[in-house]
Amino acid sequence: MKRLFIICILLLALPAHLFSQEPLTPLTEKLNEIQELGYLPGFAVSIVSADGVHYQKGFGYRDTLSKKPFTIHSLQNIGSISKTMTGLALAKLIENGKLSWHTPINDILPFNIYNPYYPKIPITVAHLATHTSTINDPLDYERTYLFSEKIVLSKKELPKDYRKLVSMYNENIPMPVEEFVENMTHPLGKWYKKKNFIRKKPGTTYQYSNMGAAIAGIIIERVSGVTFQEYARKLILEPLQMNDSGWSHDEVDMSQFVSLYLSNNQKIPNYELISYADGGMITNVHDLSLYFSEMIKGYRGKSTKVLNPNSFTRIMGTAFHSEEKDSGLFWAINGKGEIGHSGGDPGIMAFMMFDPQTGFGRIVLTNKSDNEGNGINQLVYIWKTMEEYIPKLIPH
């Protein structure tokens, strides 16, 4: 009897992912069937909680020509899921007394940003983080994408939504993020237009803004005294042992990087972002699961390696409420009350959300962008299928 008790204690001490895979064998079989639909080259999924990783697996191919498998270690951009890390970085500076959510951004920036329709109303850090800054994403925002080589596809080979963008992508040049932002938000900027702002008072209306996150990245650098990448690495990547992740191609093992596909299955080169704080994170399902588990742990009031529990409640709770939309601080809240974020950029789609009631979260990463076709339908099918199996993991 004593031996049985010891075995039970040892089992309870094991990480969740070491003994939770077997009940989900039918999930693997179902996801294999979904992959065989063929609308996505490959994808990787994960189910996590505050206790750790319960399930993670790759399906299909990270490159359809070479048939290299898509695994939990396959690297890709995750788009706007990156913003959740920007929110964490801001929260840490606030914990350390170096910043306030109510700080006007012009107290920190090297140039002034104001809404030309309401020039006397200051835009604050919280306005950036809740997407209520009234700063729009103009077409010139697409200048953020720096492809590793020219896109050589003809107009006929491109989906309609990319035909106007590729010429811009091929002309984009590197520049400091401060110059990039100033060009669009300062009256003397070369891409500035009044319509780069909406006709609403800052703080009153939700308007999703990648530009706002890019500005937040500049603020983090100005206040911390180090680059955004260095600050995020010390705060998040190193403590959580996200060893495969980074913000640039130089920081990661590019031999593990996926091939990127558009909605018509045309392959495009990889890229980085000038505005890295709004969508530049490169990672895989393995590392992202470590991150998400820690975030859920913090939200549920447990001690973490990153922030105090109160900070998690602040950034992941409802910081802005309206009839149309609730928002955390660079964390999204969907219509079901789930918390996390999604990401969509050329050649990728990504979802990361958890249910505050059950404490279980899901991640899906894929190497194709297809927001209006069968690709997104297959991704939704994957997402809902994972949800169906989560009850099997909840203790009764």
Side-chain angles (χ1 to χ4, degrees):
M1 198 66 179
K2 182 178 179 181
R3 182 183 177 191
L4 179 60
F5 174 76
I6 292 172
I7 292 173
C8 290
I9 292 297
L10 290 172
L11 285 172
L12 289 171
L14 288 174
H17 70 274
L18 292 183
F19 59 84
S20 296
Q21 296 270 21
E22 187 174 347
L24 296 182
T25 299
L27 173 58
T28 299
E29 296 170 353
K30 184 67 175 179
L31 292 177
N32 274 320
E33 291 177 9
I34 295 173
Q35 171 57 27
E36 290 173 3
L37 293 173
Y39 298 121
L40 296 176
F43 62 90
V45 302
S46 180
I47 298 175
V48 305
S49 73
D51 297 323
V53 180
H54 298 268
Y55 177 88
Q56 57 183 2
K57 192 168 178 61
F59 299 83
Y61 305 110
R62 65 181 173 99
D63 183 87
T64 56
L65 184 61
S66 67
K67 303 298 183 184
K68 292 179 180 177
F70 201 122
T71 74
I72 62 172
H73 298 290
S74 297
L75 291 168
Q76 69 170 74
N77 302 77
I78 59 169
S80 290
I81 291 177
S82 310
K83 290 181 176 69
T84 64
M85 298 184 184
T86 303
L88 253 70
L90 288 173
K92 191 63 176 182
L93 291 172
I94 290 167
E95 272 189 7
N96 293 339
K98 296 184 177 181
L99 190 65
S100 163
W101 292 113
H102 304 294
T103 300
I105 62 175
N106 289 342
D107 288 357
I108 302 167
L109 296 175
F111 50 87
N112 284 342
I113 298 177
Y114 57 87
N115 185 321
Y117 305 107
Y118 297 93
K120 299 298 183 183
I121 299 179
I123 297 171
T124 68
V125 173
H127 293 159
L128 299 178
T130 56
H131 298 284
T132 59
S133 68
T134 68
I135 301 172
N136 254 331
D137 290 331
L139 179 62
D140 285 309
Y141 166 78
E142 301 292 328
R143 298 181 188 276
T144 191
Y145 296 103
L146 301 176
F147 284 82
S148 59
E149 56 188 75
K150 300 277 188 186
I151 300 173
V152 296
L153 300 172
S154 68
K155 188 175 182 180
K156 290 183 179 179
E157 293 175 310
L158 290 166
K160 288 183 179 180
D161 53 339
Y162 278 91
R163 289 175 185 172
K164 293 181 179 180
L165 298 176
V166 166
S167 60
M168 179 183 287
Y169 291 159
N170 286 340
E171 295 172 0
N172 287 349
I173 57 173
M175 66 181 69
V177 66
E178 291 183 1
E179 180 181 347
F180 175 79
V181 169
E182 187 175 11
N183 276 330
M184 278 178 278
T185 60
H186 192 276
L188 297 180
K190 61 182 177 181
W191 306 318
Y192 176 87
K193 299 179 182 68
K194 287 183 72 175
K195 67 179 182 181
N196 291 356
F197 298 80
I198 62 173
R199 291 176 178 266
K200 298 288 184 179
K201 293 181 181 179
T204 63
T205 304
Y206 182 93
Q207 175 74 16
Y208 190 83
S209 175
N210 289 295
M211 290 295 299
I215 296 165
I218 297 172
I219 289 172
I220 290 165
E221 292 184 335
R222 288 266 163 176
V223 175
S224 69
V226 298
T227 66
F228 173 84
Q229 293 89 334
E230 183 178 347
Y231 191 77
R233 179 167 292 280
K234 294 293 185 183
L235 173 65
I236 303 168
L237 303 189
E238 290 180 0
L240 302 186
Q241 297 184 338
M242 297 173 67
N243 300 324
D244 295 335
S245 304
W247 298 86
S248 70
H249 296 161
D250 293 338
E251 295 181 73
V252 300
D253 179 4
M254 289 301 291
S255 70
Q256 297 300 313
F257 203 87
V258 301
S259 296
L260 304 174
Y261 298 91
L262 300 178
S263 58
N264 61 354
N265 297 317
Q266 290 286 357
K267 187 175 176 179
I268 57 172
N270 53 48
Y271 54 84
E272 296 178 351
L273 275 67
I274 294 173
S275 55
Y276 37 79
D278 73 349
M281 167 55 60
I282 298 169
T283 190
N284 55 35
V285 156
H286 173 271
D287 279 14
L288 193 58
S289 297
L290 298 176
Y291 168 75
F292 202 27
S293 176
E294 191 81 354
M295 300 305 100
I296 297 171
K297 185 188 301 183
Y299 181 82
R300 296 177 79 82
K302 299 180 180 180
S303 177
T304 76
K305 300 174 183 178
V306 183
L307 297 175
N308 295 329
N310 289 341
S311 294
F312 283 101
T313 304
R314 181 80 171 94
I315 64 174
M316 299 168 80
T318 301
F320 175 80
H321 170 75
S322 69
E323 291 185 3
E324 294 80 21
K325 184 70 179 178
D326 287 346
S327 176
L329 293 157
F330 283 132
W331 283 77
I333 303 171
N334 68 17
K336 296 171 63 176
E338 296 172 326
I339 301 168
H341 220 290
S342 61
D345 268 327
I348 68 101
M349 294 185 289
F351 287 84
M352 182 186 82
M353 304 292 292
F354 81 95
D355 183 344
Q357 300 300 317
T358 66
F360 279 83
R362 289 165 284 165
I363 298 171
V364 180
L365 303 182
T366 185
N367 55 337
K368 183 176 182 177
S369 53
D370 186 11
N371 292 327
E372 297 181 357
N374 287 317
I376 188 64
N377 290 336
Q378 183 171 337
L379 200 64
V380 171
Y381 193 11
I382 293 164
W383 189 254
K384 291 184 176 180
T385 300
M386 292 169 66
E387 184 178 27
E388 292 174 7
Y389 283 86
I390 286 179
K392 299 178 183 295
L393 302 171
I394 300 173
H396 296 284

